[in-house]
Amino acid sequence: MITTYLSALMLTAAGLDGAAAADFDRPALLQLAPADVQADIAASGRHILVVRHAYKISPDCNGMECPLSEAGEAMVTRLSGLLGEAPVDRAYASAACRTRLTAAAGHAEVVAHQAVDGYAADCTPGATIERQRSAAFAEARDGDARWTLAGEHSNTSCLWLAEFAGVAAAETAGCEEGRLPETAYGDIYWLYQSGGDWQLTVLPGAFSVEAE
């Protein structure tokens, strides 16, 4: 199942009332969800938030050590505000600095995995990392964490969506060519369990800021 973002002006028309939304542990995030799935999201006990890394210091900076730009740091601050003060239960990211810095918005220790299986380069020049993304998948699927945050790249974000919600849902969310569109920054891809299955809804531009 894949749903798309509706205007915030429509949230109260078919979604939760203000009091019910306030009872949710991350109300600012829930208010951005489409009204027709807010109740299902609020009833779910398992959530995985997948985000593409925030803006990097320059578009042509692609090394593992590439940091975020000032606009990217502002995006992380905005994401952190949406998540609230309570730390997520698990935070994962590829080994690149930009994905780790983005996942730090979850106020929890970020556990890194290889950016691509078999590519052991780490954020710190000369360092290596052996953990693979499949370990994060297994922990997110089989563990009991209520809130998981994953910081990834345009292509590896799609791996999370396909792994949990299925290829069709990932493609509908924007992964038609196995990667998110180049303009898809600041979107939150919200995976949540409902009826025993993982569902997916997208919050476009949820933590966007103007790129410099």
Side-chain angles (χ1 to χ4, degrees):
M1 171 184 174
I2 173 70
T3 57
T4 55
Y5 178 73
L6 299 179
S7 169
L9 296 176
M10 299 174 62
L11 290 179
T12 58
L16 301 173
D17 60 33
D23 289 337
F24 190 66
D25 51 344
R26 300 187 194 272
L29 201 61
L30 184 62
Q31 288 173 4
L32 295 180
D36 60 342
V37 297
Q38 281 194 30
D40 285 344
I41 290 174
S44 177
R46 302 284 309 283
H47 305 268
I48 302 173
L49 306 175
V50 181
V51 295
R52 182 186 188 175
H53 63 79
Y55 292 128
K56 52 191 177 180
I57 196 167
S58 66
D60 59 352
C61 183
N62 294 311
M64 295 295 287
E65 71 281 2
C66 183
L68 299 178
S69 66
E70 289 186 8
E73 291 172 354
M75 290 176 69
V76 175
T77 298
R78 182 165 295 183
L79 178 58
S80 178
L82 286 174
L83 295 174
E85 296 182 358
V88 297
D89 300 296
R90 297 286 186 275
Y92 300 110
S94 88
C97 292
R98 55 191 179 275
T99 53
R100 285 176 163 174
L101 291 169
T102 304
H107 313 293
E109 178 185 359
V110 178
V111 179
H113 47 257
Q114 292 181 347
V116 178
D117 286 355
Y119 184 63
D122 199 8
C123 171
T124 302
T128 58
I129 186 165
E130 299 303 322
R131 180 182 168 90
Q132 295 189 348
R133 185 171 288 102
S134 58
F137 286 165
E139 291 170 8
R141 181 188 303 105
D142 302 331
D144 58 0
R146 173 169 171 78
W147 288 100
T148 296
L149 176 64
E152 289 284 1
H153 305 269
S154 60
N155 58 336
T156 58
S157 293
C158 293
L159 297 178
W160 282 85
L161 307 188
E163 177 74 17
F164 287 88
V167 173
E171 290 178 346
T172 304
C175 295
E176 293 94 342
E177 298 181 359
R179 64 191 315 118
L180 298 172
E182 197 55 40
T183 56
Y185 281 97
D187 300 348
I188 296 176
Y189 299 87
W190 193 337
L191 295 156
Y192 61 94
Q193 275 193 325
S194 179
D197 296 320
W198 287 96
Q199 311 296 331
L200 171 62
T201 194
V202 184
L203 313 184
F207 66 108
S208 294
V209 301
E210 290 295 324
E212 297 178 347

